[in-house]
Amino acid sequence: MKKRGEKMTDQKPYGSVLLKAVDILDFLLEYPSSSLKEISDGLKMTNSTVLKILDTLLLVSYVSRDEKKNYRIGAKFRKYFNQDSKQVDLVETTLPYLERLQHQIDETIHLGILNMHEILYINKLDPKNQVIQMSSKIGITRPLYCSAMGKAVLAKFSAESYQKYLSTTELKKYTVHTMIDAAEIETEIEKIRETNIAYDNEEVENDIFCVGAALIKEEDIVGAFSISVPKYRITDSYKKEITMAIIRAKQEIEAVL
C-alpha cells in the first residue's frame, strides 16, 4: 500500500484483458456496428483475442451482435452512461427499424432525444459502403432551431413552449446557411408541422444535408431520428427517396412505441 503523498506514476494496471475490453468498448462507441475484423484491425489485436473478449461482453450484455455479426454497444452497458431506462429502451426498440432504413438508404443515421433544449445523440449507424462518413459521436448535442432532428422536435412544441424556447435561446450562426431570424425559423417550423419532415441544408455543418423526423408516443415527444448525407450526393430524386424512407420508418417505429 502506498503512503500518503507518494506518487502513483509507477502504479501498474491490473488485468490486461480488462484494458483490452475497455479499448473494444471505446472502439464500438466511436464505430458502432463493426465487424470482428474491423475491430481487430482497428485495435491491432488478433481475431481470437477480440472474439474471446466480445463473447464475454455479449454474455453480460455489454455488447450486442446483429444478424450480420456486427457488434455494437449493448443495452446493459448503455445504462452506465445513461441512467434513463427510457433512453435505453428507445435505442433497443428503434434499432431494427433504423437498420432496415439503412439497408434502404446507405447513409449515416442518428437517433436523438430532447435534452435541455438540445438534441442529444443516443445512437448512430454508420454507412456500410460510403467512403466519406460523419464524424459525429454518441453523446454530442445539436441545437433545435437549425438541426433536422431539432426542428422536427421543435415543430411539436406547444405555442407557449415554442415561444419560451425562442426567447431563452441564443440563435447563433454555425455556417453561413444557419437561420437566426425568428420569423424565418417560424415559417420553416410551420412547414414542418404540415409535413412532419425537417431538413438541415448545411445549417449545422458545411457540406452536410440532413432529413429528420420526430418520434411521438401518445402526443409526447420521445425522440427523433435523421439521415445525414454529404451535400454533393443530394439530388431532387435522392432527397425524395430519403424523405419517403424517413416517413415509412417513422410510421413503423411509432406503431411499436
Side-chain angles (χ1 to χ4, degrees):
M1 183 175 179
K2 290 184 179 293
K3 298 178 180 179
R4 184 184 298 273
E6 187 175 352
K7 292 184 178 180
M8 305 291 287
T9 53
D10 295 331
Q11 184 178 10
K12 294 182 179 180
Y14 178 78
S16 60
V17 173
L18 180 58
L19 294 177
K20 290 176 181 178
V22 171
D23 287 339
I24 291 172
L25 291 170
D26 284 342
F27 186 89
L28 291 176
L29 279 171
E30 188 165 358
Y31 304 104
S33 194
S34 294
S35 67
L36 172 63
K37 186 177 187 305
E38 288 170 336
I39 299 170
S40 301
D41 291 348
L43 296 176
K44 293 180 172 52
M45 297 183 193
T46 64
N47 281 358
S48 60
T49 297
V50 173
L51 183 58
K52 288 176 183 177
I53 296 173
L54 284 171
D55 284 344
T56 302
L57 293 174
L58 276 169
L59 186 65
V60 295
S61 300
Y62 274 35
V63 302
S64 61
R65 182 173 58 198
D66 62 24
E67 68 281 358
K68 290 189 174 183
K69 296 186 177 180
N70 290 325
Y71 296 86
R72 64 174 58 249
I73 293 298
K76 189 171 182 180
F77 183 76
R78 290 178 185 276
K79 292 181 181 180
Y80 287 99
F81 61 83
N82 179 6
Q83 295 299 312
D84 187 349
S85 61
K86 290 182 179 179
Q87 178 174 323
V88 176
D89 290 343
L90 183 63
V91 171
E92 296 302 315
T93 300
T94 59
L95 183 57
Y97 300 95
L98 296 183
E99 287 181 333
R100 185 186 307 168
L101 176 61
Q102 192 176 58
H103 291 330
Q104 301 166 12
I105 308 292
D106 188 31
E107 303 288 356
T108 302
I109 296 176
H110 293 112
L111 176 69
I113 58 170
L114 181 62
N115 182 58
M116 298 295 291
H117 280 186
E118 291 182 310
I119 287 293
L120 170 68
Y121 286 5
I122 62 172
N123 202 6
K124 177 188 178 185
L125 280 67
D126 286 309
K128 307 298 183 185
N129 303 300
Q130 302 292 355
V131 176
I132 298 178
Q133 299 192 4
M134 298 281 291
S135 61
S136 55
K137 296 180 181 180
I138 294 171
I140 67 172
T141 59
R142 291 288 183 259
L144 298 184
Y145 65 93
C146 57
S147 64
M149 282 195 288
K151 286 189 280 188
V153 165
L154 198 55
K156 297 298 181 181
F157 276 27
S158 67
E160 181 181 356
S161 295
Y162 177 78
Q163 291 302 325
K164 182 178 180 180
Y165 169 78
L166 285 183
S167 65
T168 57
T169 301
E170 178 188 1
L171 303 177
K172 62 179 182 180
K173 277 189 170 292
Y174 290 86
T175 74
V176 295
H177 305 284
T178 308
M179 285 188 293
I180 58 173
D181 180 81
E184 289 182 350
I185 295 172
E186 172 64 19
T187 298
E188 179 153 3
I189 295 299
E190 283 293 339
K191 294 178 183 176
I192 298 168
R193 290 185 182 125
E194 295 174 3
T195 63
N196 289 319
I197 294 293
Y199 300 103
D200 162 10
N201 190 1
E202 299 185 90
E203 294 176 57
V204 178
E205 294 184 62
N206 287 315
D207 306 317
I208 300 297
F209 187 92
C210 302
V211 185
L215 293 170
I216 307 299
K217 177 183 179 181
E218 298 175 354
E219 299 185 359
D220 290 332
I221 302 166
V222 296
F225 68 106
S226 66
I227 294 178
S228 299
V229 187
K231 180 65 182 291
Y232 76 88
R233 286 208 293 268
I234 287 293
T235 62
D236 288 342
S237 60
Y238 194 29
K239 177 182 175 182
K240 183 177 180 180
E241 181 183 356
I242 294 172
T243 299
M244 296 307 296
I246 288 272
I247 291 172
R248 287 192 299 269
K250 172 181 167 67
Q251 292 170 343
E252 292 171 351
I253 294 170
E254 289 182 340
V256 298
L257 284 176

